[in-house]
Amino acid sequence: MLITSSSNERVKHARRVREGREHNLIFIEGERLVAECVASELKLHACFTAAGPDASQQKLLERLTCPVFHLSESVLESLSDTTSTQGIIVIAERPWPTLDRMFEGKEPLILGLDRIQDPGNFGTLVRTAEAAGVSGLFAFAGSADAFSPKTLRSSMGSAFRLPILPDVSGLGTIETCRSRGLKTVVATGEAELSHYDYDWRQPTLLILGNEGRGASAEIMSACDHRVRIPLHAPVESLNVAAAGAAILFEVVRQRQNAGL
């Protein structure tokens, strides 16, 4: 059956998911992201697609384990989170990793995000964290939603695989990591220690702060170490996603050189 009304109850429910009003469900749009979702074995609830999907989308639809609803072009456009619909939308369950999974590995590296508010920055950091071998990511209260449509597009599927715990206490995260033997490090341009000179071979929680204000004073005081990225004048700071990449791949360099 072709759904031709944007007032259809299933479409209205999908719109609530898109707007973040269904806490345990996420809105995934586009062939590539849906394929990543399927490969990650998230539990699917529903799929919405055009009445005449192309060949590659049809192959993807055949892999789905949920009801598929065909929408008219206008209804699909109204449901889309992008300027031009990408032709396929899936509603899936939000992943909720266990705390133990966040600390897997011999020398865990955890990323903490303190009020990172731009979805593009957040998603890029998720992607970079997975590429750098981060064990898990804690998003402190006040951060963007790791599973909003815009953040998911920036993370390009990494959010489906990297363990992420949202809306947590920053100070609580520091204490949890410390109790599990991790050192706690916060990045700030005011630090004396270069990120090249910190020993990243040891289990570590790295915290990156808000785009404009950096990490909170409480987080700064609670951490074991502060590190900065050396910059040539007159540049005083980097975008937080760029800063995160610079630090995380220094971790990769040190650990690879140590055979970790």
Side-chain angles (χ1 to χ4, degrees):
M1 181 181 74
L2 181 66
I3 297 176
T4 59
S5 171
S6 59
S7 296
N8 177 276
E9 288 301 319
R10 293 188 182 277
V11 175
K12 288 166 67 176
H13 178 261
R15 194 174 293 116
R16 290 198 300 272
V17 176
R18 183 194 70 194
E19 295 168 355
R21 293 189 286 149
E22 297 285 343
H23 192 57
N24 290 316
L25 298 175
I26 57 177
F27 183 99
I28 302 161
E29 182 171 10
E31 190 172 336
R32 177 172 180 175
L33 268 184
V34 171
E36 293 275 11
C37 170
V38 172
S40 300
E41 299 183 343
L42 268 62
K43 185 175 181 179
L44 309 182
H45 282 235
C47 173
F48 300 91
T49 188
D54 60 30
S56 62
Q57 287 181 356
Q58 185 59 44
K59 287 183 179 180
L60 180 55
L61 291 174
E62 292 169 0
R63 297 169 57 196
L64 302 185
T65 57
C66 64
V68 176
F69 302 98
H70 297 288
L71 308 183
S72 67
E73 184 176 346
S74 62
V75 175
L76 193 59
E77 288 282 358
S78 72
L79 183 58
S80 173
D81 188 66
T82 58
T83 303
S84 179
T85 178
Q86 299 184 47
I88 184 168
I89 294 166
V90 159
I91 305 300
E93 287 193 8
R94 179 188 293 256
W96 290 105
T98 63
L99 187 61
D100 284 343
R101 190 177 167 215
M102 306 289 286
F103 295 90
E104 289 180 349
K106 185 178 179 181
E107 307 291 341
L109 172 66
I110 306 292
L111 184 61
L113 301 184
D114 183 18
R115 299 164 299 142
I116 301 298
Q117 295 176 338
D118 181 79
N121 285 336
F122 195 118
T124 300
L125 284 165
V126 171
R127 183 73 168 174
T128 303
E130 185 187 30
V134 165
S135 310
L137 186 153
F138 289 93
F140 301 171
S143 296
D145 182 0
F147 292 95
S148 74
K150 290 181 180 179
T151 314
L152 285 178
R153 288 196 294 273
S154 294
S155 73
M156 299 174 64
S158 290
F160 302 144
R161 297 179 294 267
L162 181 70
I164 300 172
L165 283 179
D167 201 31
V168 299
S169 161
L171 294 178
T173 297
I174 289 172
E175 288 307 311
T176 296
C177 290
R178 189 171 283 140
S179 71
R180 290 177 178 247
L182 277 69
K183 295 294 184 181
T184 57
V185 178
V186 61
T188 170
E190 299 174 356
E192 294 184 3
L193 181 67
S194 164
H195 76 296
Y196 294 121
D197 296 328
Y198 177 77
D199 183 1
W200 296 104
R201 297 171 298 175
Q202 57 193 322
T204 302
L205 165 68
L206 167 65
I207 297 175
L208 302 174
N210 174 266
E211 290 91 341
R213 293 165 290 174
S216 70
E218 293 80 8
I219 295 296
M220 290 281 194
S221 298
C223 284
D224 300 316
H225 302 282
R226 303 179 186 184
V227 299
R228 63 176 174 83
I229 300 171
L231 302 175
H232 286 283
V235 176
E236 295 181 349
S237 64
L238 295 176
N239 168 277
V240 67
I247 297 173
L248 288 172
F249 280 95
E250 171 60 17
V251 179
V252 172
R253 186 191 70 80
Q254 289 190 21
R255 292 187 172 199
Q256 286 183 344
N257 288 345
L260 299 177

